[in-house]
Amino acid sequence: MKNFISKLNKYKYPYLFIAPAIILLFMFSIIPIFVSVGISFTDMNIKGLANFNNIDFIGLENYIELLKDADFHQAIRNTIFYVVIGVPFVVFLSLTSALLINYGTEKIFSFFRVVYYAPAVTNIVAVAVVWGFLYNTNYGLLNNILNGLGLEGLRWLQDPILAKISLIILAVWKAIGINMLIFLAALKGIPKSYYEAAKIDGAKKFQTLRYITLPQLRFSTFFVTITTLIGWIQFFEEPMVMTSGGPLGQTNSMALFIYQNGFKQSQFGYAAAGSFVLFVIIIIVTLIQFRMNKQDAWE
Amino acid sequence: MKKDKMKIDKIIVIILLTIGGILMLTPFIWMIFSSFKHANEAMLVPPTLFPKVPTLENYIKLFEELNFLVYLKNTLIVVAIFFIGLLFNAMAGYAFGKFKFPGKKFLFYMVLATMMIPSQVTMIPVYLILNKMGLINTMLGIVLPGLVGAFNIFLFKQFMGGVPNELMEAARIDGAGEYYIFFKLIIPISKPILAVQGILTFIAGWNNFLWPLIIANDEKFYTLSVGLSLLKGQNVTNFALQMAGASIMVVPIMIIFCIFQKHIMEGFVTSGIK
């Protein structure tokens, strides 16, 4: 015991320094996972919130219910749609803009860096308000431009498929900036000597890109892909503030499904089960990604 | 000949960037111009880009009739408290970067692991925990869950781990206490990383939306983003007013971002995300 106390005293300062952060992370990240798993086996709802005696253990019932829930199936299908279309666009467009912005050193290029990053710092609600107006069928800018070109206006947020694409467009617009910055940082880190050597060997612009730049960007491409992928599996704020999942659940995502069941209908147990399914999917996808990247590196 | 070709390349790149840039900026330009229109001008078909008779009525309405001043105050309080969180992150990063202690590795991996947890998983339990603590509908409940972040701790650790040990040793020999060393030695040295994290913290606090929405039931605790979503729901057809509300959220952050954007870029490069 005495030994323990003297040891604690010896390491007093590092423990004091990490204490606030660790305590907060424990309370709001680590413990909640276990709580979440726990309540996913119960029928907890608004009554259970008022009095814990109203909570019953129901085993796997929530999970079985989820398997049968058509709304949940639709949310999964929509999420797959978002991921399959959204992720490649984000990676491709942020890489392309980083390469273009890295092309020159003049002031105008750093100006473009600011412009492309600007959407990333904006608030999602403000973005939803502005894009909601842009997408408006009657008064929106987009349809008026289409009309000006002699084309028919589109029902941006009402048509089932188009509504999903409209949400993807604005999410991509918002996501380019941060990922572009990651690529730019990586581009700045490539040794200049590589390019000089290539130049001496008479390499063409395209060859330099293919054999030097892209391979050197391998890690950041991996990083961007995986964070984007995880982000899009949790696609949430855009459908929430733009369409609330409508029309008829056509833009609903898994994360939004969880939020609505949890906080709109107060079905905490059911929502927790849904969130755990989402968590497992994310872990599986992440592991597959890491596995693939490893193989890639072994080649 | 070669020089001419170089120039053409560059011109094509600039043209491509300009097209992309216009696409990136159009929503903002549309927002700002629309916010100065009268309510019915915003509904004109075909729409005008510049307001015909510019007006400040939308902004005046937001602050005089709607509660935007209260929301703004709350948002600034959230930002201020988030800066305390920034200090906690810096302290943790310093300890992880510069001290040896039992359990360090385990605790650090645990911190990193929290980055992988989707917010939807913790959302409900955190709500329940805050409910048990009686913090629903309080300012503290709004800010506590987002106060510290694994990624920030990681960045601080990376940076502070690079500070030479001799510096702290010398101070200790001179009789300086650990708090003195942290606040008077480490913090001033860490200015570059503090600048990046400070601006990112400001943006995060300012834009914070989901927790205030979930936790605040009382309008006196609403932040700007919650107030704006309320405005969107209640004034569905008054686009000019909505655009003014959006401008209040977006323009300040843009100005701050433009001033500090160089630091963000440098921070990304030095923190070694490549």
Side-chain angles (χ1 to χ4, degrees), chain A residues 40 45-46 48 59-60 69-70 77 90 94 101 103 105 107 133 139 146 201 205 207-208 211-213 237 250 255 297:
Chain A
S40 76
N45 54 24
I46 194 87
L60 289 172
D69 191 335
R77 281 199 304 275
V90 170
S94 42
I101 288 173
Y103 195 90
T105 47
K107 263 240 157 73
F133 190 18
Y139 313 110
L146 288 177
D201 290 344
K205 273 258 152 62
Q207 287 172 318
T208 331
Y211 294 106
I212 298 176
T213 312
E237 288 179 321
Q250 291 287 352

Side-chain angles (χ1 to χ4, degrees), chain B residues 132-149:
Chain B
K132 265 276 147 202
M133 294 166 72
L135 290 178
I136 303 293
N137 214 15
T138 63
M139 220 58 200
L140 205 56
I142 291 172
V143 292
L144 267 186
L147 207 53
V148 299

Side-chain angles (χ1 to χ4, degrees), chain B residues 169-217:
Chain B
E169 293 305 329
R172 278 184 195 125
I173 290 166
D174 288 347
E178 291 296 329
Y179 298 111
Y180 184 89
I181 292 175
F182 178 71
F183 284 104
K184 297 280 171 168
L185 208 64
I186 301 295
I187 291 281
I189 291 178
S190 308
K191 258 191 200 132
I193 190 76
L194 277 170
V196 189
Q197 299 235 29
I199 173 82
L200 293 179
T201 300
F202 189 96
I203 293 173
W206 182 267
N207 287 343
N208 197 8
F209 168 58
L210 193 61
W211 269 115
L213 180 74
I214 290 174
I215 299 294
N217 307 319

Side-chain angles (χ1 to χ4, degrees), chain A residues 15 103 116-117 121 219 241, chain B residues 9 17 102 207 232 257 274:
Chain A
Y15 285 135
Y103 195 90
Y116 281 64
Y117 189 66
V121 299
F219 179 72
V241 292
Chain B
D9 278 6
L17 282 171
N207 287 343
K232 178 175 175 259
F257 167 68
K274 38 186 171 187

Side-chain angles (χ1 to χ4, degrees), chain B residues 57-160:
Chain B
E57 69 176 13
N58 300 308
Y59 289 95
I60 293 167
K61 192 172 174 193
L62 286 177
F63 284 102
E64 284 189 349
E65 290 172 38
L66 301 154
N67 274 328
F68 266 60
L69 204 59
V70 176
Y71 307 154
L72 179 65
K73 193 193 83 198
N74 288 338
T75 307
L76 290 174
I77 293 174
V78 168
V79 169
I81 303 178
F82 267 39
F83 272 92
I84 300 173
L86 181 68
L87 176 69
F88 290 162
N89 289 331
M91 282 160 52
Y94 170 59
F96 279 124
K98 276 288 155 224
F99 285 89
K100 285 199 178 77
F101 54 92
K104 174 174 155 177
K105 212 169 178 181
F106 168 77
L107 288 171
F108 188 63
Y109 279 128
M110 198 198 76
V111 168
L112 289 186
T114 62
M115 275 202 279
M116 274 192 57
I117 304 164
S119 61
Q120 288 81 21
V121 177
T122 52
M123 214 156 58
I124 290 157
V126 167
Y127 182 83
L128 300 178
I129 291 170
L130 289 174
N131 188 47
K132 265 276 147 202
M133 294 166 72
L135 290 178
I136 303 293
N137 214 15
T138 63
M139 220 58 200
L140 205 56
I142 291 172
V143 292
L144 267 186
L147 207 53
V148 299
F151 188 59
N152 307 67
I153 296 175
F154 177 74
L155 287 186
F156 273 123
K157 180 199 175 258
Q158 294 294 92
F159 186 90
M160 290 174 175

